[in-house]
Amino acid sequence: MKRAVFAAFALVLLVACQKKNPDLGKEIIDQNALLNGITTDTFDLITYTILEDSVETKNAPNVLLGSYVDPKFGKVEASVFTELRLPGLSPNFGTLSSIQIDSFVLALEYVGYYGDLTAQEFAVYELDDTLENAAEKKYYQFSSIATKTTNWMAAGQSSIVPDPINPTILAGKEVDPQLRLHLDTMRAWDIINATATNPSAFASNAAFQNYLKGIKVAVNNPTQSTGKGGILYLDINNNPASKMTIYYRKDGVPKTYDLLINSYCADFSNIDHQSTGTAADAVVQDSTLGQSTFYAQANKHRAMVKIPGLDNLPSNIVIHRADLLLPVQFQTGYRYKPGSKVTAATKVKATDYYYTSLGVTGSYSDSKKQFEIDLRAYVQAMVAGKIDNTGVLVSPLYFRNSAERIIFNGQLSNNKKSPKLILTYTTY
């Protein structure tokens, strides 16, 4: 089983910064001009899928929540772990007997979704262990933290049809779409009572996070059928609308008390890919199957494209175009889309442990049903001997904070289009 490991820096293709050799005269050739260039598309491509087993999801731009069942990748289930913070230290609710709690709501602002918007069963649990926010502490897609057993969701409120498209109506006003989870008001009473019985727990955020270590937001969809469900993209780092709110009345006057979720909180997504025995898993186990179909999936699978014939290119050429075309299996309107862009990476040297970004993205053409990646600089660097021919690793653009998946045609695909590299170059 092969594993992809990525460096945190982008590849600087060395041909772009090397001193020019005046004996070659290469600098006078405009790489954007085709001149009398030679064009070929007869390269054999070797394609397969690599398993990515460690993807850091701590404090990503958005978290993932929900589940869906894919016929090729299996079930994907995502949950969220996050700390909470006080809006101010040492809150004073006064005489508690004068307080009446109306509701207790966890609001999480949407930034998108993947899949369909059928009903899902949500659950919220109190963490039984501490989340760590130190820079050196890593949380990955497989990380988890123990929780207490009580589900905080209010009775009869756990089944929700997500709506990340339409505005949410809050106090009679439209606000940006939110997932609003109604919690058991007894948990709100616990917090308010603790301000009086355990005031030291509210004297600092560190003390509060020892009292309430955080929450896990999860789904429970055991009967979800194939082709159903979706993953919600939620902003809990940079959006003040994402918070836990106690709605109460004191002496009949409506009031609110917020527990904050923001960039000062540690958070991560746990993404459980139940892919054993699936078509995608079969290609991971037997790479030769990737010649027919190969796969990429956020947080789990990366697609490998090797082009051995590039080793046969002469060194005295200038690459004008190198277009990698990767057709996909997707019908317009199907809920599990391939996404709009992919990234490309490679190993600079065959002995490298890390794959390094090529600094290019490939765009998806819905009319052609294919991704198109510009590999001109990559091929030129290879011809110049600056990088080894180790292949191009293709991944969904938002690999650590989306749920996108892609089914690519291999060269032996029964479908109409197969992947190819179209190369145009000039000798000098």
Side-chain angles (χ1 to χ4, degrees), residues 35-282:
L35 305 174
N36 295 315
I38 300 169
T39 297
T40 179
D41 64 356
T42 59
F43 295 97
D44 287 329
L45 273 59
I46 300 173
T47 55
Y48 53 93
T49 297
I50 287 178
L51 187 67
E52 181 65 71
D53 60 7
S54 298
V55 180
E56 189 176 359
T57 61
K58 179 182 177 182
N59 295 119
N62 61 270
V63 293
L64 308 180
L65 176 64
S67 69
Y68 71 89
V69 183
D70 187 274
K72 300 294 185 181
F73 294 86
K75 187 171 186 177
V76 182
E77 183 170 301
S79 53
V80 177
F81 294 78
T82 184
E83 293 177 311
L84 300 164
R85 290 178 66 88
L86 295 168
L89 303 182
S90 302
N92 185 355
F93 287 91
T95 303
L96 300 189
S97 60
S98 65
I99 291 177
Q100 180 179 348
I101 296 178
D102 295 320
S103 61
F104 187 25
V105 177
L106 173 61
L108 303 168
E109 183 139 327
Y110 295 109
V111 290
Y113 72 101
Y114 186 79
D116 73 10
L117 297 175
T118 50
Q120 299 196 47
E121 293 281 335
F122 293 88
V124 177
Y125 299 97
E126 180 181 353
L127 298 186
D128 204 25
D129 203 354
T130 304
L131 256 168
E132 297 183 40
N133 207 6
E136 63 271 15
K137 177 61 180 179
K138 308 293 185 183
Y139 290 104
Y140 300 93
Q141 88 277 24
F142 54 78
S143 298
S144 187
I145 295 176
T147 68
K148 299 182 185 299
T149 57
T150 301
N151 184 356
W152 281 26
M153 290 295 295
Q157 298 290 319
S158 60
S159 180
I160 298 174
V161 178
D163 186 2
I165 300 172
N166 299 302
T168 296
I169 305 300
L170 191 60
K173 297 181 180 180
E174 289 189 353
V175 297
D176 290 337
Q178 299 176 4
L179 174 66
R180 295 182 65 80
L181 303 180
H182 287 260
L183 309 178
D184 184 352
T185 55
M186 290 302 298
R187 305 284 74 79
W189 270 119
D190 291 342
I191 294 169
I192 289 179
N193 285 330
T195 64
T197 61
N198 187 15
S200 63
F202 296 81
S204 69
N205 273 295
F208 177 71
Q209 288 167 347
N210 186 56
Y211 161 72
L212 179 56
K213 295 178 174 62
I215 57 172
K216 174 186 178 180
V217 189
V219 293
N220 181 25
N221 302 313
T223 61
Q224 209 166 40
S225 58
T226 301
K228 294 294 183 181
I231 302 290
L232 309 173
Y233 302 161
L234 304 166
D235 182 1
I236 66 172
N237 278 320
N238 302 297
N239 198 306
S242 293
K243 58 188 176 181
M244 186 179 281
T245 302
I246 301 172
Y247 294 88
Y248 68 100
R249 283 173 284 166
K250 184 173 177 60
D251 297 321
V253 179
K255 295 179 178 292
T256 61
Y257 181 71
D258 296 331
L259 296 177
L260 308 180
I261 308 173
N262 55 32
S263 59
Y264 294 102
C265 298
D267 68 70
F268 69 91
S269 298
N270 172 284
I271 304 102
D272 179 21
H273 293 84
Q274 301 168 26
S275 58
T276 301
T278 63
D281 182 59

Side-chain angles (χ1 to χ4, degrees), residues 286-415:
D286 181 358
S287 64
T288 63
L289 298 177
Q291 289 299 95
S292 295
T293 307
F294 63 112
Y295 304 89
Q297 181 185 31
N299 286 286
K300 185 68 173 182
H301 300 98
R302 300 187 192 266
M304 172 60 80
V305 181
K306 289 190 172 181
I307 315 168
L310 293 178
D311 289 330
N312 300 323
L313 292 174
S315 60
N316 62 328
I317 62 173
V318 172
I319 306 300
H320 299 297
R321 296 186 64 94
D323 300 314
L324 180 62
L325 309 181
L326 299 176
V328 304
Q329 298 177 28
F330 173 69
Q331 297 296 321
T332 300
Y334 186 58
R335 58 179 60 89
Y336 302 115
K337 301 177 181 179
S340 60
K341 292 185 180 296
V342 292
T343 60
T346 193
K347 290 183 177 181
V348 178
K349 297 297 180 184
T351 54
D352 287 351
Y353 183 64
Y354 292 102
Y355 285 88
T356 305
S357 171
L358 290 176
V360 298
T361 58
S363 297
Y364 178 67
S365 169
D366 189 54
S367 62
K368 298 177 182 177
K369 296 293 186 293
Q370 66 185 18
F371 283 94
E372 301 170 356
I373 307 174
D374 179 3
L375 294 183
R376 186 179 72 175
Y378 165 75
V379 177
Q380 189 69 70
M382 190 181 304
V383 168
K386 306 306 180 184
I387 60 175
D388 292 343
N389 186 7
T390 60
V392 177
L393 210 57
V394 179
S395 312
L397 176 61
Y398 301 106
F399 191 76
R400 76 183 187 120
N401 60 316
S402 80
E404 296 172 2
R405 35 71 98 201
I406 310 169
I407 302 174
F408 294 104
N409 292 341
Q411 275 202 325
L412 302 182
S413 172
N414 292 325
N415 295 311

